[in-house]
Amino acid sequence: MRQGKVLVLHGPNLNLLGSRQPEIYGYDTLEDVNNLLREKAVMAGCDITCLQSNHEGELIDAIHAARLDSTQAIIINPAAYTHTSVAILDALNAFDGKVIEVHLSNVHKREAFRHHSYVSLRADGVIAGLGVQGYCAALEAVLLSLAK
């Protein structure tokens, strides 16, 4: 039996992972991240879907769909939308499952505008500054909560 259903959302510009500012975001590609998460999910008996979009509405549509398809948790790296999107916050507020916010870099060591997150107002947990391992930590937290 499957343990649960998890949606991983990657926001704008994360399709450029590995080549965009690797000194900040690292050299792993988005495909590397997704493959790592899929591998861990399969080992745990969990269904996982990964989606990256540079379009706010597509991310919101995925959150809305998750409300209706038995998704139990969302792991989201909203990227730049972290600091600007009340719309993503509103969509997450309509989702009843667990929400974990992930950032590859430590946003608190960066520009002041990156210190505020709308998504954090809904998130059950926030992980920042651990690079790709932050996604793994988020998935582990989700899997622990689903096992209860």
Side-chain angles (χ1 to χ4, degrees):
M1 179 167 167
R2 304 307 278 175
Q3 183 173 335
K5 189 170 182 180
V6 177
L7 173 63
V8 179
L9 295 175
H10 307 282
N13 300 311
L14 290 170
N15 56 304
L16 301 177
L17 275 181
S19 63
R20 175 182 168 248
Q21 295 178 286
E23 68 281 2
I24 295 174
Y25 302 110
Y27 290 94
D28 290 303
T29 66
L30 188 61
E31 184 178 352
D32 294 335
V33 173
N34 289 340
N35 287 340
L36 179 63
L37 292 173
R38 286 184 190 111
E39 184 178 302
K40 290 184 176 299
V42 166
M43 289 174 54
C46 176
D47 290 323
I48 193 165
T49 301
C50 301
L51 170 72
Q52 186 279 327
S53 182
N54 294 316
H55 304 281
E56 185 178 34
E58 188 173 358
L59 296 169
I60 291 166
D61 288 345
I63 296 165
H64 289 180
R67 295 179 65 227
L68 305 173
D69 70 2
S70 73
T71 295
Q72 295 160 297
I74 295 174
I75 297 170
I76 182 169
N77 181 343
Y81 291 137
T82 303
H83 324 292
T84 63
S85 185
V86 174
I88 288 176
L89 170 63
D90 287 348
L92 290 169
N93 279 334
F95 176 73
D96 291 330
K98 190 161 202 76
V99 175
I100 306 291
E101 179 181 356
V102 174
H103 299 283
L104 294 164
S105 69
N106 181 352
V107 293
H108 301 290
K109 287 180 70 177
R110 299 185 64 197
E111 304 93 337
F113 74 87
R114 296 186 194 275
H115 299 177
H116 179 265
S117 168
Y118 284 103
V119 173
S120 291
L121 295 172
R122 167 56 180 90
D124 298 295
V126 179
I127 300 168
L130 298 181
V132 171
Q133 287 306 117
Y135 283 102
C136 295
L139 183 57
E140 285 182 34
V142 163
L143 293 171
L144 283 172
S145 72
L146 294 178
K148 291 180 181 179

